[in-house]
Amino acid sequence: MRLVLISRRLAIALLLPTVGETTLAATNKLTIDGIRVQGTQVQVTVTYPVAASGTVWNIYSLDTNKALTQATSRWQIADTNVALTGATATVWIDVGQGGRQPVPLFSNRFYIAINPAYDQDADGLSDGQEHFIEKTDRTLADTDGDGILDRDELNIGLDPLVAETNCILGTIYASAGGQPIGAAIFELAFSPTALRIIGVGSSGQLKPHEYSVGQTTNYLSGASDIAYYQAHSRASPTSDTALVAVLFRKIGTSGQATGVSVTSRQCKHADTGAVLSSPSVYVSGVPSTLP
Amino acid sequence: MSLLHRRGILTSLITLALTALSSEGQTTNQAWSTNAAGVIAVDVPRGGLVLASMPLEGFGQVANVSNTIGSQVPDGTAVWVWNLSNDSYSVTTRTNTWSTGDLALNRGIGFWFIATATNAWTTTSARVYLPGVLPLGTLSTTTVATIYTNDYVGYAFPHDQLFTNLTLVKQAVFGSKVILWNVAAQQYYGSYSRGVFGWPPSLSTMSVYAARGFIFSTTNAVSWTEVFPCDWF
């Protein structure tokens, strides 16, 4: 992120005492007031009615030359933590941050400034992110109504617009960095010959361990009806809490997915086997048809 | 203060007001900025012509050649803006600055980039980014009036659109024509004429591209009103 002073007025303003400056989010509006392409940069000028500083905004961008629709127009996060300068205008410079293409590699690009502090449904996703990027309902914490919050679905790699029918969401507690910290145990109401994890993920500092999407069987505990997903704490902080989700899909004799029934689930310490907590189970359905 | 000057100020004030209202309903919680803005690219070949059209609103003022194109093309480049009311061009040429920089680039109106092949060009083409504000809110309904005989026009919104989706094409009478400009070949092509039973099927796959112009020919005077099909803001 680069900030550039754009006018003598702005420069003078910066020399003045900051008395009276305020947080923009509380009182005023941001407006994109000019765009200039200069060399390999796009200079986007944002203005606001009164001097403000310290307010953090995000910039989203959208590249397209096709028909623009709600379904297909996915904005990208161009920059975050864009602080205003304390005067009434700031220039944000687009040099292709976030893996986006810089000038002149893109044809058409639009910008909008997002206030990440606004989250009507308190699901952990800002209104701007829900409306422009995720396309979720910013007034509903659980857009698809499957019991898993939009933010949690995104964190664990699920689609917040598609209701999950065979997902178990549990809680695992981390203890020490680099050490096994627990396992989510899922008891199944059948004797599986093979299972496939079709989606795993975690929030917080926990990272999926060992078992990647598409792997089968080797995470089954013996020949019984128990499967588990194990997580390690790999990074600081050394203790953390994370949501872990496992989507089960039973593989039939023909290799096609068949039904999965889940009867109960719990989290246990990986070493001691002690039950760590009753996991927060949002979905405990018995799906007849897998997604 | 001249009448024209007053009109200019009035136009600017109206534009400012409309811009402020363009995201009505979204500004109340300040979750995002009061507007969205961007740039649309037009590639102008050295020594060639491009038929373009401005699909965005100006930033608090009328978009014109100076504040929209500026220094993005080499000296010697001319811009010819079509005037619907008298079927003629207004011309400005760049030599360090634009000779008539305040020449307006209104949405829906076609204009030509006419590039020379002088030494001022160091590349085979110049990419021009047309900057502006997305026409949302009250600006999302745009009328281009009045189109009659042969006029140079463009789609007033910043995205590709099938010709057959344009109300201008839908309401066209027998004998109307759509004529396109081929930048690569530097010649007109694709003259589509509306017959007794409608447009030729081949037009149904043709699009008017963002910021590009075309010729519309009609024997009856028409006003062309389009609504920005934007459900993504």
Side-chain angles (χ1 to χ4, degrees), chain A residues 31 65 70 104 106 109 111 113 118, chain B residues 29 33-34 37 39 129 160 231:
Chain A
T31 299
N65 57 2
Q70 173 74 6
F106 65 84
R109 179 169 287 176
Y111 300 93
Y118 281 91
Chain B
N29 65 9
S33 51
T34 59
V39 291
Y129 284 103
D160 301 353
D231 61 356

Side-chain angles (χ1 to χ4, degrees), chain B residues 154-215:
Chain B
Y155 184 53
F157 303 106
H159 65 96
D160 301 353
Q161 181 65 281
L162 288 170
F163 275 104
T164 48
N165 285 341
L166 303 180
T167 59
L168 178 66
V169 170
K170 290 178 180 176
Q171 69 187 16
V173 297
F174 169 74
S176 299
K177 290 183 180 178
V178 170
I179 303 170
L180 309 178
W181 175 254
N182 187 325
V183 177
Q186 287 293 296
Q187 63 184 20
Y188 289 108
Y189 78 109
S191 177
Y192 301 89
S193 298
R194 191 192 186 286
V196 176
F197 301 107
W199 292 94
S202 54
L203 185 64
S204 65
T205 62
M206 301 297 294
S207 291
V208 54
Y209 297 112
R212 303 306 189 275
F214 62 95
I215 297 175

Side-chain angles (χ1 to χ4, degrees), chain B residues 132-157:
Chain B
V133 177
L134 285 177
L136 302 169
T138 54
L139 297 175
S140 64
T141 299
T142 299
T143 297
V144 180
T146 301
I147 298 173
Y148 183 55
T149 63
N150 297 317
D151 278 322
Y152 299 83
V153 294
Y155 184 53
F157 303 106

